[in-house]
Amino acid sequence: LINTGVRPRVAVLREQGVNSHIEMAAAFERAGFEPLDLHTTDLMGDPSRLQDCQALVACGGFSYGDVLGAGQGWARTILFNPALREAFEGFFTRPDTLALGVCNGCQMLSALREIIPGTDLWPDFRANRSRQYEARLSMVEVLPSRSLMLGDMAGSRLPIVVAHGEGRAEFAADGGPRKAMAADLVGLRYIDGRDGPATHYPANPNGSPLGVTGLCNEDGRVTIMMPHPERVFRAIQHSWHPADWGEDGPWMRLFRNARRALG
C-alpha cells in the first residue's frame, strides 16, 4: 500500500526551548519520511513552506520556558499572527495531511484546537498533581481510537518515557474524559501494575483523570500525547527487551502507521 519511491515531507516543528526534534526526525526518517527542520520563525518568514509538507510534528521540550503556561506561548505565536494562523488552519483542514504533537507539542496543539477540526472534546494540560517535574518510564495502554497513527496498536501495553511538569489533562465538560472515550478519541492511558487505568501516583505521573494521556481528533489525522514515543523507538533505548525485538522497538509502529496512512 506504500509508494516506496516517495518520501513524504514531514515538518519537524520546534520553538525556543524545544529539545526533542532530533530524535523525532530520526524516527520519522526511519519510517520513510523526509524530515524538514522548521523553526516557528522560519514559518513567520515564509508561511507557505507548510504547504510543501504532508505531515507535521510539534516536538517536546519547554517552549518559552513554559512561562506563559505549557505550550501556550508557542500556540499564541501562531494564533496571533494572521499569516501563520492561516497557514496552520489550511494545513489542518487539508484532507491529505497528518499531525502529531508530543509533550510540549501536545500542549501546543491542544491550545490550537480552535483551528483544528474535530477537537471539541480535547482537554487543556495543567500542572502535575505532584507540583513537580516528572521524568520516568511509565506504562501505557493503547486504546481503540480513531487515530491513524495508533490504529492497529490497540491492546498494546508498552513502556514509554514521560518528561513534563504540566501534563495533567483537564477537561472542560463534566464527564469530559468519558465522553472523549465514548467518541473513540482517547488513544493512550496510563496503566498500573494490574493493567487497569492508573489513577494514583506514580503510575499516573500527573493526575490525569482515568489516566488519559493521548487523544486524536474526530477524523483521526491529528494525534496528541504527553509521553515521548520518539525516545523509545529503538530497542536499544530500553533497559531490557526481548531478544527477538531486533533493531526496532514497538513504538516504531506509530511512525510506520503514519507513513502507511499517507500511501
Side-chain angles (χ1 to χ4, degrees), residues 3 24 34-35 46 61 63 67 73 77 95 111 127 150 154 162 177 220 250 253 260:
N3 183 351
M24 192 67 78
E34 177 190 349
D46 184 5
S63 58
V67 171
T77 299
L150 294 170
V162 297
R253 175 66 62 87
R260 183 176 63 183

Side-chain angles (χ1 to χ4, degrees), residues 58-156:
C59 302
F62 306 93
S63 58
Y64 295 100
D66 288 347
V67 171
L68 300 176
Q72 295 293 323
W74 194 1
R76 290 171 187 172
T77 299
I78 295 167
L79 293 175
F80 297 162
N81 182 307
L84 271 185
R85 181 186 178 111
E86 181 180 0
F88 276 85
E89 192 166 10
F91 179 89
F92 292 127
T93 55
R94 278 167 48 192
D96 62 341
T97 60
L98 287 177
L100 172 66
V102 170
C103 193
N104 199 217
C106 166
Q107 299 156 344
M108 186 273 276
L109 289 187
S110 175
L112 288 183
R113 59 185 180 270
E114 65 185 82
I115 63 171
I116 304 176
T119 58
D120 292 343
L121 294 177
W122 279 13
D124 293 314
F125 290 89
R126 305 301 188 194
N128 300 340
R129 292 284 186 201
S130 65
R131 311 302 298 182
Q132 64 185 7
Y133 174 74
E134 299 290 343
R136 64 179 70 247
L137 198 68
S138 295
M139 287 294 295
V140 295
E141 179 182 12
V142 182
L143 300 177
S145 74
R146 305 187 192 191
S147 171
L148 297 180
M149 294 189 180
L150 294 170
D152 59 357
M153 298 175 66
S156 301

Side-chain angles (χ1 to χ4, degrees), residues 134-235:
E134 299 290 343
R136 64 179 70 247
L137 198 68
S138 295
M139 287 294 295
V140 295
E141 179 182 12
V142 182
L143 300 177
S145 74
R146 305 187 192 191
S147 171
L148 297 180
M149 294 189 180
L150 294 170
D152 59 357
M153 298 175 66
S156 301
R157 299 180 179 94
L158 303 169
I160 195 169
V161 171
V162 297
H164 57 255
E166 299 179 58
R168 177 173 52 87
E170 182 178 83
F171 292 84
D174 291 340
R178 295 192 185 279
K179 289 180 180 178
M181 284 186 175
D184 294 328
L185 302 185
V186 176
L188 287 181
R189 68 178 175 187
Y190 297 113
I191 57 173
D192 58 25
R194 297 180 179 178
D195 291 339
T199 56
H200 298 290
Y201 181 87
N204 183 328
N206 50 46
S208 291
L210 304 181
V212 171
T213 191
L215 302 100
C216 65
N217 72 333
E218 290 178 359
D219 67 8
R221 293 188 301 106
V222 184
T223 300
I224 59 173
M225 61 183 67
M226 283 306 302
H228 288 268
E230 80 283 4
R231 295 187 181 178
V232 282
F233 74 92
R234 299 182 64 201

